[in-house]
Amino acid sequence: MVRRALIALPLLVALSIGGFFWWGLDPARDPGAIPSVLISKPVPQFDLPPIANAGVPGLSKATLDETGAPVLVNVFASWCVPCRAEHAVLTRLAKRDGVRLMGINYKDEPADALAWLSDLGNPYERIGSDVSGRAGIEWGISGVPESFVVDADGTVVYRQVGPILGREDIDRVRRALQAEATG
Amino acid sequence: MRRGFAILASVAVLSAPAHAVEPDEILADAALEARARAISLDLRCVVCQNESIDASNAGVARDLRLLVRERLVAGDTDAEVFAYVVARYGDFVLFDPPWKPSTYALWLAPATIGLLGLLAVVVVLSRRRGGAASDDLDAEEQAEFDRIMARKGGT
């Protein structure tokens, strides 16, 4: 009996390790993805001034706590190339689908951001200017662009690392927003 | 001799651990700076995930280095600084995984597998020694052997 168990042991070890490798081969899995600590937590403390002459007010935790509706907070910068690509998607979500869009302008000179927005259009309801990048650290971002779905009373419910491009990303964001609107 | 020494010296210099700390980040207080460097070596850069923030050239790494120094100057203990960063980025940012229910498997698995392997080796060895037939001839076989040898010897 022990003999049989010992004979089976190498096979079991091979199967379990092989199983892990099989799981790891999933193309949809991103090994570099770090789950956000903010999910299901309140929006972190931050208070950002507006970009001068942008025509929209600044952004802070207080405003996100009392929006009364789920919003999409998008961290962007004028020096960020994927943000340009994402801009068209965000504009469509804001203008056509009525998504409330808030922006955090990360580590960007206000003048550069203003030029970028004048060039591409401004779909944001509010933009906070985070020149030092400290607000970004409060949100736990590792780069731009990143987007967060925040529900009506200031709880973060979803985080997207990277630009919102493609059907899957847009659907996930929409679903996160809708879950909050009805839930 | 001279050339050998020169080669040795250059290898020693070139293999010094790389760090990305820039002069404008270094604190005036040497003790705090030493603590900041030690803490930075234990924090993972979230962009280049195999590097510590001490070694990484990423923008976020620089921000975190400055943040660590700021918290130290404000009087936080090392544990409080780690807690501050983990509160924003999660356990993944620590190079030393914490001892928590979700990481018990991570910490215990190598020792457990090692012990299981050792157990298997011990069991296999002891069975072989105990159960294997002795190589010595028993009484019957010895008598048969003697008879054959006697016949051969006699001829």
Side-chain angles (χ1 to χ4, degrees):
Chain A
M1 184 53 214
V2 181
R3 194 96 176 279
R4 225 175 274 154
L6 281 180
I7 291 171
L9 191 63
L11 181 65
L12 282 174
V13 171
L15 277 178
S16 54
I17 294 180
F20 269 118
F21 291 156
W22 182 262
W23 168 78
L25 282 175
D26 179 10
R29 194 178 81 91
D30 177 10
I34 309 174
S36 171
V37 235
L38 284 184
I39 307 288
S40 306
K41 297 260 175 51
V43 164
Q45 179 60 41
F46 76 108
D47 190 354
L48 295 173
I51 301 177
N53 303 325
V56 288
L59 190 64
S60 66
K61 176 176 159 71
T63 48
L64 287 175
D65 281 345
E66 47 198 37
T67 47
V71 298
L72 183 60
V73 178
N74 175 246
V75 185
F76 72 99
S78 64
W79 45 261
C80 155
V81 177
C83 301
R84 273 192 106 92
E86 187 187 42
H87 190 274
V89 175
L90 292 175
T91 308
R92 200 171 53 220
L93 284 174
K95 298 265 160 60
R96 198 191 64 182
D97 300 339
V99 170
R100 295 188 56 185
L101 191 59
M102 312 283 168
I104 295 179
N105 187 224
Y106 180 72
K107 293 187 112 170
D108 212 358
E109 289 298 323
D112 295 336
L114 197 57
W116 193 81
L117 289 170
S118 308
D119 192 21
L120 294 173
N122 182 0
Y124 298 97
E125 201 177 297
R126 291 173 164 272
I127 304 179
S129 173
D130 183 18
V131 181
S132 64
R134 179 51 61 83
I137 291 188
E138 295 298 321
W139 282 83
I141 68 171
S142 50
V144 274
E146 281 190 24
S147 305
F148 299 83
V149 173
V150 176
D151 75 4
D153 40 43
T155 309
V156 180
V157 295
Y158 178 73
R159 176 220 212 187
Q160 159 99 11
V161 176
I164 303 176
L165 292 172
R167 190 80 276 155
E168 282 181 24
D169 291 339
I170 300 175
D171 283 344
R172 273 199 295 256
V173 169
R174 276 226 192 86
R175 246 179 289 139
L177 284 163
Q178 267 155 8
E180 292 321 304
T182 52
Chain B
M1 177 65 191
R2 264 306 285 279
R3 205 155 138 256
F5 182 70
I7 292 173
L8 192 64
S10 41
V11 166
V13 166
L14 288 171
S15 56
H19 63 81
V21 180
E22 289 167 24
D24 61 351
E25 296 170 21
I26 300 181
L27 294 173
D29 182 341
L32 282 181
E33 176 65 20
R35 278 173 65 196
R37 294 295 301 277
I39 294 175
S40 302
L41 282 168
D42 272 337
L43 285 173
R44 186 192 307 269
C45 171
V46 287
V47 177
C48 342
Q49 291 168 354
N50 263 331
E51 291 187 317
S52 66
I53 59 173
D54 194 59
S56 169
N57 282 312
V60 183
R62 183 183 147 84
D63 289 341
L64 284 172
R65 286 198 298 268
L66 289 169
L67 179 70
V68 164
R69 284 164 176 75
E70 209 181 277
R71 299 308 310 173
L72 285 173
V73 166
D76 278 2
T77 64
D78 287 2
E80 284 169 351
V81 174
F82 279 120
Y84 191 91
V85 180
V86 167
R88 282 147 187 79
Y89 284 95
D91 289 334
F92 181 74
V93 86
L94 296 169
F95 266 128
D96 235 346
W99 176 248
K100 270 180 163 175
S102 56
T103 57
Y104 286 162
L106 180 65
W107 279 106
L108 296 174
T112 311
I113 295 179
L115 275 175
L116 280 177
L118 201 65
L119 197 70
V121 166
V122 162
V123 167
V124 165
L125 281 182
S126 65
R127 294 192 104 247
R128 192 176 301 160
R129 205 176 303 131
S134 165
D135 273 353
D136 290 336
L137 302 173
D138 64 15
E140 213 181 275
E141 290 166 345
Q142 183 69 41
E144 181 77 25
F145 177 74
D146 288 337
R147 242 178 288 132
I148 295 171
M149 290 309 289
R151 231 186 296 139
K152 283 211 173 292
T155 313

